[in-house]
Amino acid sequence: MKRIFSGVKPTGHLTLGNYLGAVRRWVEIDQHRSDALFSVVDLHALTVEHDPARVLRLSRQAATLLLAAGLDPERCTVFVQSHVDEHTRLSYLLECTATDGELRRMIQYKEKSVRAREAGQSVRLSLLTYPVLMAADILAYGTDEVPVGDDQTQHVELTRDLAVRFNQRYGHTFTVPRATHPEVAARVMDLQDPRSKMGKSHENGAGIVYLLDEADAVRRKIMRAVTDSGQEVAYDREARPGVANLLDLLAAATGGDPKTLAGAYASYGALKKDTAEAVIELLGPVRERHAELAADPGEVERVLRAGAARARELARPLVDRAYRAVGLLPAG
Ligand code: TYM
C-alpha cells in the first residue's frame, strides 16, 4: 500500500490556504487510499522567533483542527513531530548528505532570512537547515507521496535529491518520494495582496481567511478582497490575480472549474458574494466540530499518543538502517 506523509507547522492559525492546498485532500482522498501519516510539525515552528506559550497553544489547536476537518484516527496516523525522535535523528544524517549551497538556494530561506534581518532579528541556523528536517520527516517513513500546496515543491525536490544521493553513496535505503498537488487552489493568494501567497504569519490578517474565522469575518474579508481594475470577469492568474484567486476559491469550494465559472459572472460583486457564501459553507462544519473536540482535550491527546507510538514503530527500523549504512556502530 502506498505510504503518504504530510504536515503542517504551528506558526500561526491554520488558513484557508492550508485547508484547500493540503488538509482537505488528506481528509477526502489520501487517508482512504493509502497508509497515511499526518503530523503537526512543531519543531519547524522554532526556526523563527517564537513565543513558547503560543507554539504550545497552536500545536494543540492544529492537531484538533486536523481531526475536526475529518482526519480519522482509525484510517490514518495523526501525531506531533517532536514526540517521535527519529525525525531529528535522521535529520543529522541528512545534514551530512546535503550541501550548504543547495540549502542557501531555497526560496523560502532567502525570503524569510531577508525578512528577519529587516526586522532587526538574527537568522536562526535552523531556518537554513529546515528543509533537511523536512526531508527527514518524509524519508523516515519510506514515503511514496507528499500531498502539499505549490509552495512546498522545492522542498520536496530537495528531499528527492537527498534520497537519491544517500542511496547512491550508502546503498538503497530510502524511497524517493514525489509531491502531489490539488488541481485547483494549490496556491491560494492573499486577498489583500493577490500576488503573494496566503500565509499564516502575514503581518496583516485582512487578506487571510482562517479556518476558525466566524462567518461574518469570512464574508467581510472576501467582500473586501482586492480585485483588478478591469470590469469583466475573466480567469487570468497573471494579469488578474485577484479575480483569478476568487474564481479558484469558488471552484475549490463548489467543485467547479475556475475558467467555466468566470463565464457565469457579469460583475466582481456577484462573484465575491457567491465565493464568500461558498467558503462559509465549506468551513462551517470544521469550525463546529473543532468546538466540540476542543471541549474534550483528553480525546485529542489520546489520539496523538497512539499516533506517535505508531509513527515511532514505523520510523525506527528505517532510521536504524540509515545509521548502519553510513558506518555508525550499532548500539546493541
Ligand atoms: P505549512 O505549515 O506552511 O503549510 C501546510 C500545508 O499547507 C499548504 N499551504 C498552501 N496551499 C495552498 N495555498 C496556500 N496559500 C498555502 N499555504 C500553505 C502547504 O503547501 C502545506 O502543504 N514545510 C511545510 C511543513 C512540513 C511538511 C513536512 C510538509 C514540514 N515537514 C513534510 C510535508 C511533508 C510547511 O511549511 O507547511
Side-chain angles (χ1 to χ4, degrees), residues 47-69:
T47 55
V48 288
E49 282 212 10
H50 76 283
D51 167 9
R54 183 163 188 263
V55 168
L56 184 72
R57 224 174 28 246
L58 289 173
S59 296
R60 208 172 271 138
Q61 188 191 74
T64 309
L65 265 171
L66 293 186
L67 299 176

Side-chain angles (χ1 to χ4, degrees), residues 7 41 80 89 152 176 182 204 216 228 230 235 245 259 261 270 278 322:
V41 285
V80 174
R89 273 183 84 216
Q152 297 300 318
V176 181
N204 174 0
D216 280 352
D228 317 283
Y235 187 75
N245 194 36
K259 289 196 191 80
L261 284 168

Side-chain angles (χ1 to χ4, degrees), residues 186-201:
R187 183 178 287 264
V188 175
M189 309 309 273
D190 189 284
L191 296 169
Q192 289 297 314
D193 176 12
R195 294 196 185 272
S196 305
K197 181 187 81 170
M198 183 185 282
K200 295 185 207 88
S201 36

Side-chain angles (χ1 to χ4, degrees), residues 5-9 17-18 21-22 41 44 130 134 137-138 146-152 155 185-188 197-198 200:
F5 181 94
S6 201
V8 59
K9 64 180 193 285
N18 298 131
V41 285
H44 289 284
Y130 161 95
M134 174 162 165
D137 300 337
I138 297 167
V146 188
V148 281
D150 258 3
D151 61 325
Q152 297 300 318
H155 292 156
R187 183 178 287 264
V188 175
K197 181 187 81 170
M198 183 185 282
K200 295 185 207 88

Side-chain angles (χ1 to χ4, degrees), residues 64-92:
T64 309
L65 265 171
L66 293 186
L67 299 176
L71 287 184
D72 175 357
E74 301 291 320
R75 293 187 179 275
C76 65
T77 302
V78 182
F79 72 103
V80 174
Q81 179 194 33
S82 66
H83 295 176
V84 181
D85 293 341
E86 309 333 298
H87 294 244
T88 47
R89 273 183 84 216
L90 180 56
S91 186
Y92 181 70

